Amino acid sequence: MRLAHKRNVQLKLKKKIKATKAAAEKTVKAVKPKAEKAVAKTKSAAAKVEKVASAAVEAAVEASQDVKLTPKQQQVLDIVAANADGISPKAIGLEAGQEDAKAAAWATGGLKKLVEENLVVKEQAAGNKVIYKLA
């Protein structure tokens, strides 16, 4: 086996990572500011949102620890976890920094395995609209 080929194979294998506590902490850091901004009006509502957000993040982390996820899939899972009320594939792609035209296609690739592994639930909205939520 050529060394260059072996090196490429090793790089591809390294792309598959196991979800770790570090990813969970990153998710918690991303979720808390959004939750606090959304419900800064009352302290009791903010406490409820923080509890729901942290519970959703913990559930996602526990479920994803058994499954090997690529960085893209982990990023998509973090974005879905941050939006407890559901999010469309296009919105996921835009939040990840993709261009407007490619956002939905980019997110769909990452969502396929997450739906297979029951980490994310696919809900059919009116017409051809689809929303993804944490399982």
Side-chain angles (χ1 to χ4, degrees), residues 25-38:
E25 292 171 1
K26 181 180 174 184
T27 305
V28 170
K29 288 178 184 176
V31 171
K32 282 186 180 180
K34 289 184 181 182
E36 290 174 358
K37 285 180 185 177

Side-chain angles (χ1 to χ4, degrees), residues 105-122:
W106 180 88
T108 305
L111 286 166
K112 277 185 182 178
K113 183 171 181 181
L114 297 176
V115 170
E116 265 180 28
E117 298 292 338
N118 295 325
L119 298 174
V120 174
V121 177
K122 180 179 180 179

Side-chain angles (χ1 to χ4, degrees), residues 83-103:
N83 295 288
D85 54 331
I87 187 166
S88 69
K90 185 171 183 175
I92 293 171
L94 291 174
E95 196 166 322
Q98 298 297 314
E99 354 178 318
D100 194 26
K102 299 178 182 176

Side-chain angles (χ1 to χ4, degrees), residues 18-69:
K18 196 169 192 177
T20 62
K21 297 251 182 202
E25 292 171 1
K26 181 180 174 184
T27 305
V28 170
K29 288 178 184 176
V31 171
K32 282 186 180 180
K34 289 184 181 182
E36 290 174 358
K37 285 180 185 177
V39 191
K41 295 178 183 176
T42 62
K43 291 181 182 179
S44 62
K48 289 179 184 177
V49 168
E50 188 172 330
K51 286 180 184 178
V52 169
S54 63
V57 168
E58 288 174 11
V61 169
E62 288 175 13
S64 67
Q65 284 183 350
D66 300 338
V67 181
K68 288 187 177 182
L69 299 176

